């Protein structure tokens, strides 16, 4: 197990930063090696990680490669990755912007801006390569995610896990020659739940694949739930939420839309994913979300601090001529501004003091 801070951790780690790291784990290829930008392996639920971030390059030649942690059994919270993360060999597995694989633990208040994976990698996600009996909440990915099998904007695969209040804007790029099971949020989806989430990132593969979807590439087994969620048919290029719906999952309150509601890619969208059977969702309007189960979103700066989501809603806020998609309030900075969303979210707290 390899990390710039420590190979294996059995206890809590917090307030750690790896700037411009260059981590390369070669390993033995026996499936027991893990590589993280900070920590290779967190061995128990007590081995939590909080308030961490990484930039630079993280490479693992075989399995379990993550921007923060390679393989985690403990919670990861309030952390982000800016590093490029990928597998160094053909068929490298479990590659994630925050963690390669996480089991029996929580990912909360995390985000990724780094580019994740190569065309030779499998089980690749902007946040996690694999979720195993895990919970992801208040997470987002803005980096490009690349691979050839089981690729997702948030997770390459999800098994017996929950994703809530999360989104992807990054391109999810399947290898043109071989890609399969590619989803805007999750590649392969098994006995899992997605709620109050959305994808606006492009979802691409060179194949005429039936396993590529605006939200999920493929469902397997029974017990999957998708609710109160959206995908942008224009920016994603996908007309269905699920590519191969092999277990006949029936999404509820889940709609196709585009930024202003006037979409150019509605041909082929099933009427079940249009509001009232006829209308595309306007993804930059507050009512789209409040009318479909999002009780934790606001466009009112005076209510922002108690909300999970914030949206600039044109005439309803100080951006009188501007609108946005929903952003997570956890993205807002209380001081230093380092990305566009933090800059925009200054509008949710105009009395704050900021530096750039």
């Amino acid at each position: 197990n390899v990390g710039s801070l420590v190979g294996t951790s059995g206890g809590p780690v917090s307030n750690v930063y790896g700037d411009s790291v260059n981590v390369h784990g070669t390993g033995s290829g026996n499936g027991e090696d893990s590589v993280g930008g900070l920590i290779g392996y967190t061995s128990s639920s007590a081995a939590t990680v909080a308030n961490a971030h990484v930039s630079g390059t993280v490479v693992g030649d075989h399995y379990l490669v993550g921007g923060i942690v390679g393989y985690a059994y403990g919670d990861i919270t309030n952390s982000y990755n800016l590093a490029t993360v990928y597998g160094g060999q053909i068929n490298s597995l479990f590659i994630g912007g925050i963690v390669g694989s996480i089991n029996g633990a929580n990912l909360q208040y995390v985000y990724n801006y780094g580019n994740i994976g190569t065309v030779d990698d499998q089980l690749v996600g902007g946040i996690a390569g694999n979720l195993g009996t895990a919970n992801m909440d208040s997470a987002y990915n803005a980096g490009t995610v690349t691979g050839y099998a089981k690729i997702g904007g948030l997770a390459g695969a999800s098994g017996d896990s929950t994703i809530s209040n999360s989104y992807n804007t990054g391109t999810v790029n399947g290898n043109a020659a071989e890609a399969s099971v590619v989803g805007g949020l999750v590649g392969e989806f098994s006995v899992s739940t997605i709620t109050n989430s959305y994808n606006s990132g492009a979802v691409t593969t060179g194949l005429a694949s039936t396993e590529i979807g605006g939200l999920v590439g493929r469902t397997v087994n029974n017990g999957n739930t998708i609710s109160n969620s959206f995908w942008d048919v224009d920016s994603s290029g996908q007309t269905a939420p699920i590519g191969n719906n092999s277990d006949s999952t029936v999404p509820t309150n889940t709609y196709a839309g585009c930024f202003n509601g006037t979409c150019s890619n509605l041909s082929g969208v099933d009427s079940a994913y249009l509001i009232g059977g006829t209308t595309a969702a306007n993804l930059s309007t507050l009512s789209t979300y409040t009318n479909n189960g999002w009780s934790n979103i606001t466009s009112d700066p005076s209510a922002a601090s108690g909300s999970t989501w914030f949206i600039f809603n044109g005439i309803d806020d100080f951006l009188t001529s501007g609108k946005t998609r929903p952003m997570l309030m956890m993205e807002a900075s209380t001081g230093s501004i380092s990305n566009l969303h933090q800059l925009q979210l200054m509008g949710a707290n105009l009395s704050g003091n900021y530096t750039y």
Side-chain angles (χ1 to χ4, degrees):
N1 302 315
V2 178
S4 68
L5 180 68
V6 64
T8 299
S9 172
V13 174
S14 63
N15 301 313
V16 289
Y17 317 111
D19 292 328
S20 301
V21 303
N22 186 1
V23 178
H24 188 172
T26 55
S28 62
N30 62 5
E32 298 175 353
D33 304 303
S34 52
V35 180
L38 289 175
I39 303 169
Y41 175 56
T42 59
S43 60
S44 71
S45 61
T48 59
V49 178
N51 301 315
H53 69 247
V54 170
S55 65
T57 304
V58 182
V59 184
D61 281 355
H62 298 287
Y63 307 97
L64 300 163
V65 188
I68 304 291
V69 179
Y71 190 16
Y73 279 98
D75 296 349
I76 304 173
T77 58
N78 294 297
S79 298
Y80 66 89
N81 174 61
L82 305 178
T84 298
V85 182
Y86 61 94
Q89 300 287 338
I90 294 174
N91 296 327
S92 293
L93 304 172
F94 305 111
I95 317 294
I98 299 296
V99 62
S101 183
I102 184 167
N103 288 71
N106 300 301
L107 281 163
Q108 189 173 37
Y109 309 134
V110 295
Y111 64 90
N112 172 66
Y113 273 84
N115 293 329
I116 310 302
T118 73
V119 294
D120 294 319
D121 294 338
Q122 300 183 61
L123 288 153
V124 186
I127 300 297
N130 179 65
L131 297 173
T133 319
N135 298 307
M136 180 190 296
D137 179 65
S138 296
Y140 77 95
N141 172 61
T144 297
V145 181
T146 302
Y148 81 88
K150 300 180 183 177
I151 315 153
L154 297 179
S158 176
D160 196 21
S161 297
T162 298
I163 296 172
S164 59
N165 300 312
S166 298
Y167 70 96
N168 173 63
T169 63
T171 295
V172 184
N173 178 29
N175 177 352
E178 301 177 69
S180 62
V181 195
V182 185
L185 297 183
V186 179
E188 184 169 87
F189 196 58
S190 174
V191 198
S192 292
T193 295
I194 293 172
T195 186
N196 288 43
S197 298
Y198 74 86
N199 172 57
S200 63
V203 185
T204 65
T205 176
L207 298 179
S209 174
T210 59
E211 296 187 308
I212 176 170
L215 296 176
V216 170
R218 176 172 69 196
T219 59
V220 295
N221 302 316
N222 294 313
N224 290 306
T225 300
I226 301 173
S227 64
N228 306 345
S229 295
F230 302 88
W231 84 99
D232 189 316
V233 292
D234 287 350
S235 61
S236 74
Q238 301 303 315
T239 57
I242 303 169
N244 178 4
N245 194 5
S246 64
D247 75 341
S248 300
T249 295
V250 180
T252 58
N253 285 344
T254 294
Y255 295 109
C258 53
F259 183 76
N260 61 7
T262 303
C263 310
S264 60
N265 192 33
L266 286 180
S267 176
V269 175
D270 191 300
S271 62
Y273 305 118
L274 299 173
I275 296 172
T278 60
T279 305
N282 184 332
L283 300 180
S284 60
T285 297
L286 177 64
S287 60
T288 294
Y289 304 95
T290 56
N291 289 344
N292 290 287
W294 290 37
S295 60
N296 53 359
I297 185 171
T298 186
S299 64
D300 180 359
S302 68
S305 63
S307 181
T308 301
W309 295 93
F310 192 88
I311 186 170
F312 290 104
N313 198 43
I315 60 172
D316 293 337
D317 53 61
F318 87 104
L319 281 177
T320 55
S321 61
K323 293 185 177 184
T324 67
R325 304 178 195 273
M327 293 175 280
L328 291 163
M329 276 303 299
M330 71 93 173
E331 300 178 58
S333 173
T334 57
S336 178
I337 303 300
S338 60
N339 62 56
L340 180 59
H341 280 190
Q342 290 177 345
L343 181 64
Q344 291 173 307
L345 285 167
M346 289 169 58
N349 181 16
L350 294 174
S351 63
N353 295 311
Y354 304 98
T355 60
Y356 177 73

